[in-house]
Structures are given as structure tokens and as C-alpha cells.
Amino acid sequence: MEHILKGRFGRVVISTYAQLPLKYGSNVTCRRGICSTWTGRTLDRSRPLLKRYQLQQQRQYGMFAVRALRGLLKVRYLLLGGAVGGGVTLQKKYQDWKEGLPDMKWLDEVMPDNDKWKQWRGSLIDFKDNIKDNIEIEVAEELKSQSTVYTRSAPNEEQIRREAQQRLDAIQEEMMQTQIRYQRELERVEKENKELRKQNLLLRQGRKPSTRQVKRSLIDMYSDVLDELADYDSGYNTADQLPRVVVVGDQSSGKTSVLEMIAQARIFPRGAGEMMTRAPVKVTLSEGPYHVAQFRDSSREFDLTKESDLADLRREVELRMRNSVRGGKTVSSDVISMTVKGPGLQRMVLVDLPGIISTQTTDMAADTRESIKMMSQGYMNNPNAIILCIQDGSVDAERSNVTDIVAQCDPQGKRTIFVLTKVDMAEENLANPDRIRKILSGKLFPMKALGYFAVVTGRGRKDDSIQTIKDYEEQFFRGSKLFKEGLIRSTQVTTRNLSLAVADCFWKMVRETVEQQADAFKATRFNLETEWKNNFPRLREQDRDELFERARSEILDEVVNLSQVSPKQWEDCLLDKIWDKVSNHVFENIYLPAAQTGTQATFDTAVDIKLRQWTEQGLPAKSVESGWETLQSEFDRFMQKAAQATDHDDIFDQLKTAVVTEAMQRHSWEDKASEMLRVIQLNTLEDRSISDKRDWDSAVKFLESSIKHKMKQNEGLLKQMLGPSMKERWLYWRYLSEYQQKCCSVKTELDKILYSDEKHPPLLSFDELTTIRKNLQRSNIEVDSDFIREVWRPIYRQHFLKQSLSRTYDCRKAFYMYHQQMDVECGDVVLFHRIQQMMKVTANALRQQIMNREARRLDKEIKDVLEDYSQDAEKKQKLLTGRRVTLAEDLKRVRQIQEKLEEFIQALNKEK
């Protein structure tokens, strides 16, 4: 059926199967069989011209919009076409570049893909199962045939059973060896497959495959971080929680042997029943082309392939352990750091701790057992430490101490690996082999673990090499009943499987925790920097080493300042020091005894004798001592002057004082100086002539000042003996003691004697002593002769010094009489002139020695002391103290740890 619609542009025939819903007033346009409709209004020509013009304008706008839309669509198609074309071109260039690459198909042959690998692995497993099934079928048939033979020939029953058992053992042995070879081959192929995949990935990315040097440097970087943390005093709630493998166990359980098997070298000392591990030993294992060991603080490398170097290494370890034990202790917490490198070593960090003991012997410290337990718990309580729990398999499980401690530190067993040692002895001694199965399945001890391993670390011979022990271990497990009967799995035996498992666990733990530790140190660094800014805003952060270098430069500057002291200043200081040293001897041993002889001739004779004796015996040594003390006093003066400066930092004062004191104690004057001084002093003192008036006046002045100084000292002694004067007693209400009252009474009697005889000899006669006692007895004062002599000595000295001072006043104008050789009693002036000249030439000689020799020698001594102190951390810590120092130290240490951690994390991410 067809519908015919009439439109303004013709007729339209519409089939029944193409019904179009048309609205009222719709226009239909058909051209060449294609119809279109327009539902707009038809043009009404009867409308006015203006409206028709507006409609025409609207149509033009609509057509413009349509053309613009069509242009945009063309642009879109152009862009789409360009993108498609560019993609095709890029694909073509990629194919050309890919064809230019070297042929890598050999990798597909060497390295199978995942499907092929799974197929090949399944084939191996099926092969193993088929072998096992065939063996079982063959054994069953053999047993069946043997049973048939048995029924036929009953007399050969025992022989048949033996043959069947031997064949069964041979088949089991062959199966076990096949399984071991299969496991080794599987591990080797997996390792090669992993390495090839890694290299293939790097080649596809256009990068050079990484070498093993990255792995070696990675573990070394991690070990450096642990060494830094070992010396870090944990504060601000930041503790060392980086992973490390902690080797713990009972004493003589085989801890050290297990570690040596992992390190593949006999590096630790041994003793029969004696505790050898006395301090923690941190061993960093890494791969390397040569098997060598080296201590952290030493540059020597021990070749572990040479027995002589191994012996030296063991002696060095033992020596370091014994040196670390101080103050009567048996064990020490000081860590001995060691690096062991060699081919095939697994990369990890192990800490060997002293064995846990049950009983203390008499030669141990009282706290040894508790110290070992606390030390072990301290290492195991680290939430990221991997606990390698060593248990002796040859002893009863009930005697174990370590398992309880491990269970307390890691109750869930998430980071514990259990190792049963001496399995060969256990298999030989145990009546029930199932006990070992319970141990290795975690059902016997009250502790949990990630894995359980059984190892054999030797036959109890010290001279066995590592290769000998490995061969013995492998041979034992091949013939072990525990292995044959299926009580132990192949993955649970040998130290090689143990080292692989420990290394995997170690690096897994490192990757999981190292970034958290780095974040913790970032927070600690922020806290420390904030505290420094608040407390020391204008000071630069300087640790003890930097502060020590500053103090060193300041001290050496003070030594340089010694060269700025003028010769006159040196001589003046030396004269004062020399006279201070010899004045007492001059008065007490030379001047007063000679002056009390009576005549001028006897005075001169006594003076000459005593001066020569003095010069031959003590004067040169006293002079050298004076020069040494003058040098020290001048240096101290410069130090005090520097301390009074406005920019002085008092943090160095204690260190400077200690350095100068130590240098002065080490410094000694040249030996030939005393002999040289003795000659010039003797020649000077023999000259008794005074040829110049100025020298005479100088000697008189020197004698006068010396006497006045002695009189002042004597007056102080008398005042202490006689008590306050009458004026002081009346004005200040002071009283005399009983002793002072007696002294005053004796002085009154002694004054009478001196008044009656001004030239009285220095000693009292017996009659004078008796008279004084009797006179005092009339006043009810009892004194003995010794008491009277005790009061007499200072009184007579004062009387004699007054007379000497009076003669000195008279000798001021007696030079011309002396020059004319007239008889004048001025021998004491000549004496002091001789002493004064001696002091001048001595001071001049000492000054030349100081400026030419001793100042440089002191400079050398100070430099040596500074060098010694620079290497002594305890000295620095003792002499450079305060919160400013400790805060700077903590900041430096935290920054170093953080930098090393970040460097290690970057290397770890690159290795991934």
C-alpha cells in the first residue's frame, strides 16, 4: 500500500514499510529518491516585505551556523586523520628502530617465558613423582617376588630380607641424592632466571645492566649507618630500630660456629669450656672477588685463604675483646665491628653476642649472668631485629635458657629463625628421633619462629677447614636416618639453606623499615634545630672537634705572642722571679750568719765561702726553675689578657688551662743550661769591686728595699705572736690570748737585754735565760727556755734588721770613702751588689735562652699536647662541656645518620 503526499515541490510516494510520522504542516522534499522533511513554517508570500526580509535574514544566520559547524567537523576529521597518520608513521619508525636492534632471540632460548617455565617445572615435578611411584612399584614387586621365593625356599629367608633391605636403602639413597640435586639445580636456575630477566628488562629500557659492585656498596652503606647508630646516644624518643641479625644462644651451643659457616671462615677464637665471646661482634657480610676481613678502625686486610692471616685475625679479635673489658667486668657492651667479603657470601649484618650462662664461676664478675641477659634482651627487643636462636641439639631441651628469653622478646615468632646445631650428635645419642621432628616443627619449645633449620657445624676439631665441615655436613645429611625417614625436609638442612633464608628475611625487613627510621631521624633533626635556634640564635653549630680546632688556634696564637715580649720586659720579670726564689736563702744562710760574726774581715770571709758553696750546689738549679716559671707566668698573662677580651668564649678556658699545664709539665730546660749558668754566676760573684757610683747607689737601694721587706714580714710574725696592740684593744675591743700574754711578758724582759746591749749576739746565754724565767715567776708566769728562745728569734731579727737598715742609711754617702779604700762598714752593700750583678747576668742568659730556644720548645710541647688531645675523645668530652656542645654534637650526629640513611635508601631503590 502506498501513500501519496502532495508537497510544494512535487509528489512523494511512501511505501507502507517506510511510514514517516509527519506533523501537520510539514514539508517533504525528495530528490533522486531521497526524501527530507522540514517542520518549519512555509513561506507565506502574502505577508509584508519587511517580515519576509527578516525571515530571510534568519535563514542566512542559520545557514552560516550550519557552515561553521561543518567547518569544525572538517577540522576534527583532519585532526583525527593526522593523528592516525602520525601513529602509523611512529609505528613504522619504531619497527625500523626495532629491526636495527641486535638479535636478542638467544635470550628466549636461554630464558624461557612464564608458560614454558611453569610447564618445565611441572614436568620436573611429574618426573619426580613418576620416579617415586616407579620405585615404590618396583620395591613392591621385588618384595612380592622375594616373598614368593621365600615360600619356595624357606631356609634363605634372612638372606633375602638383607638383600631386599640393602636394595631399598640404595634406592632411598639414590632418591635422596636426586632430590638434593634437583633442589640445587632448581635454585641455580631460579637465580639465573631472575638475573636474566633483570638484564633483559634493562636492555629493553636502553640501560646498562648493573654490576655486583652496587650490591657490595649497598651492604657497606648499611653497615656504616649501623656504626653511626652504635655511637649515637638515643634521645628525643629516637632509638636505633634498623634490622640486624642477632645471634643468640646458650654458651657453647654453636653460635660462633654457625656464624663462621655463614662467613665461610674460621674468624673467631676458641677455648675449651672458656667464655671467648666477651663483647658484641658486628660482622658485615658482602660479596667480593677476594675472601678478606677488615676491622672498621683499621686499614689492614686479612686474607682469609691464608692460615697465618686467619691466626692473626683470631688473635686480634681476642685482644680487642679483652681490652674492651674494664673495671673487673667479664663482658663488655663495646661493639667490635668487622667486615668480611668473599665470593658467594650472602649480604647481611650479624651481631654475635656472648652466650647465655646458667652458672657463674668464681673468676667471673658478680653481675656477669645478668649483664649478658640484659645485653641480649637489649638487642632482641629491637622490633626489627632478626633473632637467630641457636639451640644445641646434643643436650636436653629442658636445659635451654635462650628459648625462654626469645619467647619473651618475640612471642609471635615473626622475626625469629630457630637453628638446631650438632644434629649429628643428637641423632647418635637420642633414643627417640621423633623428638628432633618436634623441635624442627615448633612443637617442643615454648616459642614460635619463621623457620626451623638443622645444621652440623663440625666434628669438634679446631683445625678443620670450612670446606671440610661443609663436606661433612652434606655427607651426614645424605646418610641421616632423620632425612631418610622424612623427619627433616631438604629445605631445613645445611648452613647454606640457612644463610639464604636469613639473608632473604634480612633484606625484606630492611626494605620494610628503613624509610620509617629515616622519617624518625628527620623529626629528631627538626627538634634539635629548633632548640638550637631558641637557645643559641647567634652562634654557629660547632661540635667538639670544631671547638677543639678553634681552641688550638687560639692557644698557638698565644704562643706566637711570646715573641712580642721585649728583652727588657723579660729581664725585669726574670729578676723579680730569681730574687723571689733566692731571697730567703740569701738572708737566712748568707747575710745574717755572716753579719752576726762581728768584724768586717770575718764577714767577708764567711760571705765568700757561702757564696761559692751556694753557686756550686743550688743556685744554677734555682735559676733554671725561675726561668721556667717566668716563661709560664708570661704565657698565663697572655691567656688572661685574651680571657678579658669582649669577644672571649669561655667554653675554651678549661681546655686551654689543661693544655698549658700539661705542656709545662712535659717541658724541661736544657741540661747544659745549668752548667753554663754556674760558670757565669761564679765569675760574677767573685768580683767584689764596685767601680761606679750608680752601681753603689743601686746596691744600697736594693739592700734597703730587701731589709724593709724582711722587716715587714717579721713584723707580721711578731704581731701574730704578741697579739693586738694597746690601741686596737681599746678601739676594737680585742683581747690577748694566754699564749700572747706570755709572749708579751717575755718580750718585755728581752727588750731590757737588747736595750742594755745593742750588739748582743744572736743567742741567749744560760744566765740570761735563768734571769728571765725568775723575773717572770715573780709575776706568776711560768715559761721554759724553749719558749723564751722561740720569742727571742723574731725579736732579735727585728732588732738586727733595724741596725742593718741604719747602717744602710749611713752607707748611702760612703762610696767615695769605699773607693779610696778607707775603712767603712759597708760589707753588706758589697754583698748585695755582688748578688745583684749575679742576678742581672743570670736574667740576661735566661732571657736569651727563652727567646732563642725555650719558647720554641714550649711551642712544640703545646703542639704535641694538642695533637694528643685531638686523638683522645675522652679528653675532649671532659674539657669541652655544656649544653651548647652536646646539642651541636647531637645535631651533627643526627645529620650524618640521616644523610647516610637517605643515601642508602636511594641505592636500595635503584637496586630494586
Side-chain angles (χ1 to χ4, degrees):
M1 182 177 179
E2 296 180 352
H3 297 278
I4 300 176
L5 300 177
K6 292 183 178 180
R8 300 186 71 254
F9 299 100
R11 295 189 305 175
V12 179
V13 180
I14 303 176
S15 173
T16 306
Y17 302 100
Q19 295 181 2
L20 298 178
L22 299 178
K23 294 182 179 180
Y24 174 77
S26 297
N27 294 321
V28 181
T29 305
C30 295
R31 290 181 183 178
R32 297 178 183 179
I34 300 174
C35 301
S36 62
T37 62
W38 181 63
T39 58
R41 294 182 179 179
T42 58
L43 182 62
D44 189 0
R45 296 183 180 272
S46 63
R47 293 182 179 181
L49 183 61
L50 178 59
K51 291 194 174 187
R52 282 188 295 165
Y53 175 75
Q54 292 177 349
L55 292 173
Q56 186 177 2
Q57 288 293 107
Q58 292 177 359
R59 178 180 293 180
Q60 289 179 356
Y61 291 151
M63 294 301 296
F64 176 76
V66 170
R67 286 196 299 270
L69 181 61
R70 183 176 59 189
L72 290 175
L73 292 176
K74 286 182 180 180
V75 171
R76 183 185 66 180
Y77 291 132
L78 286 174
L79 291 175
L80 180 61
V84 173
V88 173
T89 305
L90 182 62
Q91 177 69 18
K92 184 178 180 180
K93 286 184 176 293
Y94 172 73
Q95 293 294 335
D96 294 340
W97 174 79
K98 185 175 180 182
E99 292 174 359
L101 289 175
D103 188 9
M104 302 299 292
K105 292 182 178 180
W106 60 274
L107 285 175
D108 296 334
E109 298 176 0
V110 177
M111 181 188 65
D113 55 9
N114 291 332
D115 296 336
K116 292 181 179 180
W117 169 253
K118 293 179 180 179
Q119 184 178 0
W120 182 73
R121 188 172 182 273
S123 300
L124 285 178
I125 295 173
D126 295 339
F127 173 70
K128 184 192 73 170
D129 296 338
N130 292 333
I131 289 177
K132 185 175 180 181
D133 295 339
N134 293 332
I135 289 173
E136 292 177 353
I137 293 172
E138 187 175 354
V139 170
E141 292 178 352
E142 182 66 24
L143 292 175
K144 185 176 180 181
S145 62
Q146 293 296 337
S147 63
T148 305
V149 173
Y150 169 74
T151 56
R152 295 177 180 176
S153 57
N156 296 328
E157 176 184 0
E158 188 65 27
Q159 182 179 359
I160 293 171
R161 286 185 178 180
R162 283 200 303 269
E163 291 177 357
Q165 186 64 34
Q166 290 176 359
R167 187 168 183 180
L168 181 61
D169 293 340
I171 293 173
Q172 288 181 349
E173 178 71 19
E174 184 179 358
M175 183 181 67
M176 182 183 65
Q177 292 181 1
T178 303
Q179 188 176 3
I180 292 175
R181 286 197 298 270
Y182 162 74
Q183 181 186 354
R184 289 182 178 178
E185 187 68 19
L186 188 62
E187 290 175 354
R188 184 185 64 81
V189 173
E190 285 180 350
K191 188 174 181 180
E192 291 179 357
N193 185 24
K194 181 180 179 181
E195 188 66 25
L196 288 173
R197 285 182 180 276
K198 185 176 179 181
Q199 292 182 4
N200 186 26
L201 179 63
L202 293 175
L203 287 173
R204 288 178 181 177
Q205 295 176 355
R207 292 189 296 172
K208 184 179 179 181
S210 59
T211 61
R212 289 188 177 273
Q213 183 63 31
V214 175
K215 294 184 178 181
R216 291 198 299 271
S217 62
L218 186 64
I219 190 63
D220 291 338
M221 291 162 58
Y222 186 76
S223 179
D224 291 342
V225 173
L226 294 182
D227 289 335
E228 289 289 341
L229 288 172
D231 300 331
Y232 174 67
D233 185 12
S234 60
Y236 296 88
N237 298 324
T238 305
D240 173 18
Q241 296 183 353
L242 286 179
R244 51 178 61 75
V245 181
V246 181
V247 186
V248 295
D250 296 333
Q251 186 178 359
S252 302
S253 61
K255 297 186 299 79
T256 303
S257 299
V258 170
L259 200 152
E260 286 181 338
M261 290 294 292
I262 295 176
Q264 298 183 15
R266 307 295 293 270
I267 58 179
F268 291 105
R270 277 172 169 73
E274 181 183 359
M275 178 186 291
M276 299 304 296
T277 305
R278 297 176 177 268
V281 182
K282 182 175 76 68
V283 182
T284 303
L285 300 179
S286 61
E287 275 190 294
Y290 307 105
H291 204 186
V292 295
Q294 184 178 2
F295 290 100
R296 176 193 176 193
D297 55 355
S298 175
S299 59
R300 179 185 176 184
E301 279 191 348
F302 297 88
D303 189 350
L304 301 182
T305 60
K306 297 180 180 179
E307 187 57 37
S308 59
D309 281 20
L310 275 171
D312 293 342
L313 177 62
R314 289 192 288 266
R315 282 194 295 268
E316 181 69 19
V317 172
E318 184 176 3
L319 180 63
R320 286 173 179 258
M321 285 186 180
R322 295 191 180 277
N323 290 338
S324 66
V325 179
R326 305 183 186 91
K329 298 288 186 180
T330 306
V331 294
S332 170
S333 59
D334 297 341
V335 181
I336 301 174
S337 296
M338 179 194 306
T339 300
V340 177
K341 298 182 180 181
L345 294 183
Q346 297 298 319
R347 302 174 301 157
M348 67 183 89
V349 177
L350 303 101
V351 181
D352 186 23
L353 297 175
I356 298 173
I357 60 176
S358 301
T359 305
Q360 294 180 176
T361 58
T362 55
D363 58 345
M364 293 182 180
D367 60 342
T368 301
R369 181 171 57 186
E370 192 64 25
S371 298
I372 296 175
K373 183 178 178 181
M374 294 297 293
M375 186 191 306
S376 302
Q377 287 178 338
Y379 277 90
M380 290 189 292
N381 283 331
N382 176 3
N384 299 319
I386 301 168
I387 304 173
L388 197 62
C389 179
I390 310 298
Q391 174 62 36
D392 188 351
S394 64
V395 300
D396 296 335
E398 291 77 11
R399 295 168 57 186
S400 174
N401 296 313
V402 68
T403 52
D404 293 336
I405 301 176
V406 172
Q408 294 174 5
C409 298
D410 184 24
Q412 301 300 323
K414 295 182 178 179
R415 50 190 179 87
T416 300
I417 296 177
F418 181 87
V419 182
L420 187 67
T421 61
K422 306 178 184 179
V423 183
D424 52 344
M425 299 174 63
E427 182 180 12
E428 181 180 352
N429 298 331
L430 286 180
N432 183 13
D434 190 60
R435 193 173 179 84
I436 294 181
R437 182 188 61 79
K438 289 183 179 180
I439 294 175
L440 296 179
S441 60
K443 297 179 180 179
L444 187 61
F445 288 109
M447 57 169 288
K448 299 178 181 179
L450 290 173
Y452 296 84
F453 291 86
V455 298
V456 176
T457 56
R459 296 172 292 180
R461 301 176 183 175
K462 296 182 180 180
D463 299 332
D464 285 350
S465 64
I466 294 296
Q467 187 60 43
T468 303
I469 299 174
K470 289 171 66 176
D471 295 341
Y472 172 72
E473 182 184 41
E474 185 174 339
Q475 181 181 2
F476 166 75
F477 281 115
R478 283 180 180 176
S480 172
K481 296 179 181 179
L482 301 171
F483 194 76
K484 291 179 179 180
E485 296 175 2
L487 299 179
I488 303 178
R489 297 192 302 272
S490 59
T491 56
Q492 285 185 291
V493 298
T494 71
T495 51
R496 183 177 181 275
N497 289 335
L498 171 65
S499 61
L500 290 172
V502 174
D504 290 342
C505 184
F506 171 76
W507 283 107
K508 179 182 178 182
M509 190 77 73
V510 168
R511 290 186 175 92
E512 291 175 353
T513 60
V514 67
E515 292 188 357
Q516 298 177 359
Q517 191 75 13
D519 294 339
F521 274 97
K522 285 181 182 178
T524 302
R525 176 178 177 178
F526 175 78
N527 294 336
L528 293 175
E529 289 176 345
T530 303
E531 183 180 355
W532 182 273
K533 290 178 182 178
N534 293 333
N535 295 328
F536 311 103
R538 300 179 183 177
L539 296 176
R540 189 170 63 90
E541 302 161 8
Q542 291 179 313
D543 59 4
R544 283 188 172 90
D545 292 335
E546 293 175 318
L547 291 174
F548 182 84
E549 292 303 321
R550 277 188 56 190
R552 184 206 295 264
S553 62
E554 291 187 10
I555 293 173
L556 295 179
D557 289 342
E558 303 304 330
V559 176
V560 173
N561 288 336
L562 288 175
S563 61
Q564 300 176 2
V565 180
S566 63
K568 185 178 183 306
Q569 185 176 352
W570 274 120
E571 291 188 7
D572 291 342
C573 295
L574 286 167
L575 283 172
D576 293 339
K577 184 63 68 175
I578 293 171
W579 177 242
D580 184 61
K581 284 284 184 182
V582 304
S583 60
N584 190 60
H585 182 86
V586 169
F587 267 92
E588 301 297 332
N589 298 89
I590 300 176
Y591 175 57
L592 292 179
Q596 293 170 3
T597 56
T599 63
Q600 186 66 37
T602 55
F603 175 82
D604 293 338
T605 303
V607 165
D608 291 342
I609 294 172
K610 291 182 179 297
L611 286 178
R612 189 172 187 86
Q613 291 176 350
W614 184 38
T615 307
E616 293 290 346
Q617 296 176 359
L619 180 59
K622 286 291 183 182
S623 301
V624 170
E625 186 178 346
S626 301
W628 184 87
E629 292 181 1
T630 302
L631 180 61
Q632 181 181 10
S633 61
E634 283 299 300
F635 194 80
D636 290 341
R637 186 173 64 84
F638 281 110
M639 299 281 287
Q640 293 174 2
K641 184 177 179 181
Q644 296 173 357
T646 55
D647 58 345
H648 172 68
D649 195 345
D650 58 357
I651 198 171
F652 306 121
D653 291 346
Q654 191 175 357
L655 174 62
K656 289 180 178 179
T657 303
V659 169
V660 173
T661 303
E662 180 73 18
M664 287 296 178
Q665 291 175 355
R666 295 184 184 184
H667 179 71
S668 60
W669 215 271
E670 288 184 334
D671 296 335
K672 61 181 180 180
S674 297
E675 182 63 24
M676 182 188 67
L677 287 176
R678 187 186 68 82
V679 174
I680 64 174
Q681 287 171 347
L682 185 61
N683 294 332
T684 305
L685 288 173
E686 287 181 351
D687 185 9
R688 293 185 292 181
S689 62
I690 305 176
S691 58
D692 195 345
K693 178 68 166 57
R694 288 178 300 181
D695 293 341
W696 180 271
D697 293 339
S698 177
V700 171
K701 185 178 180 180
F702 178 46
L703 175 59
E704 181 181 345
S705 62
S706 300
I707 292 175
K708 288 181 178 180
H709 180 69
K710 284 294 181 181
M711 288 178 64
K712 187 176 181 180
Q713 289 181 347
N714 198 68
E715 286 177 357
L717 181 60
L718 282 173
K719 186 175 182 180
Q720 184 179 0
M721 181 181 291
L722 301 175
S725 62
M726 184 63 69
K727 180 181 178 180
E728 292 175 339
R729 280 182 278 175
W730 278 97
L731 293 178
Y732 303 108
W733 294 84
R734 294 182 179 178
Y735 301 95
L736 297 176
S737 64
E738 183 179 356
Y739 171 78
Q740 292 171 344
Q741 289 176 359
K742 289 183 179 182
C743 291
C744 290
S745 301
V746 174
K747 180 182 180 300
T748 303
E749 297 296 328
L750 293 175
D751 288 340
K752 294 176 183 180
I753 295 174
L754 292 174
Y755 181 76
S756 61
D757 185 6
E758 292 184 355
K759 294 185 178 181
H760 193 283
L763 298 177
L764 291 171
S765 65
F766 178 77
D767 294 337
E768 289 173 336
L769 290 173
T770 303
T771 303
I772 292 172
R773 285 201 309 271
K774 288 181 179 181
N775 292 337
L776 292 175
Q777 285 176 358
R778 295 191 185 104
S779 302
N780 296 325
I781 299 175
E782 293 289 340
V783 294
D784 56 6
S785 299
D786 293 336
F787 186 84
I788 296 172
R789 292 191 187 98
E790 181 183 352
V791 180
W792 164 256
R793 278 190 288 269
I795 292 175
Y796 179 79
R797 180 190 294 268
Q798 194 74 5
H799 171 73
F800 180 83
L801 291 175
K802 287 181 180 180
Q803 288 182 338
S804 299
L805 185 61
S806 178
R807 286 196 307 270
T808 303
Y809 292 152
D810 295 338
C811 291
R812 286 179 180 177
K813 300 178 181 180
F815 172 72
Y816 295 102
M817 297 174 64
Y818 168 79
H819 192 62
Q820 296 297 326
Q821 297 183 354
M822 297 175 65
D823 189 12
V824 292
E825 295 184 358
C826 293
D828 47 0
V829 176
V830 177
L831 170 62
F832 274 80
H833 169 73
R834 295 163 70 180
I835 293 174
Q836 189 179 41
Q837 294 303 312
M838 180 273 299
M839 291 170 53
K840 287 182 179 179
V841 297
T842 303
N844 184 45
L846 291 174
R847 188 264 306 169
Q848 292 179 6
Q849 276 190 305
I850 290 174
M851 298 183 69
N852 297 333
R853 297 278 301 169
E854 299 304 327
R856 289 199 297 268
R857 293 181 68 236
L858 178 62
D859 184 12
K860 182 179 180 302
E861 294 291 347
I862 290 177
K863 289 180 179 178
D864 291 342
V865 174
L866 288 170
E867 186 64 26
D868 293 342
Y869 281 15
S870 66
Q871 305 299 325
D872 194 341
E874 293 182 359
K875 287 284 187 182
K876 293 180 184 179
Q877 190 172 3
K878 179 180 178 181
L879 299 175
L880 293 172
T881 58
R883 181 55 184 163
R884 170 184 164 188
V885 183
T886 56
L887 186 58
E889 287 275 328
D890 291 344
L891 261 174
K892 178 183 178 182
R893 186 62 56 82
V894 169
R895 284 181 181 137
Q896 289 176 347
I897 295 173
Q898 183 187 354
E899 290 173 0
K900 288 182 180 293
L901 275 172
E902 291 177 352
E903 183 182 2
F904 171 74
I905 291 172
Q906 291 178 0
L908 185 65
N909 293 332
K910 288 181 181 179
E911 192 185 48
K912 290 180 182 180

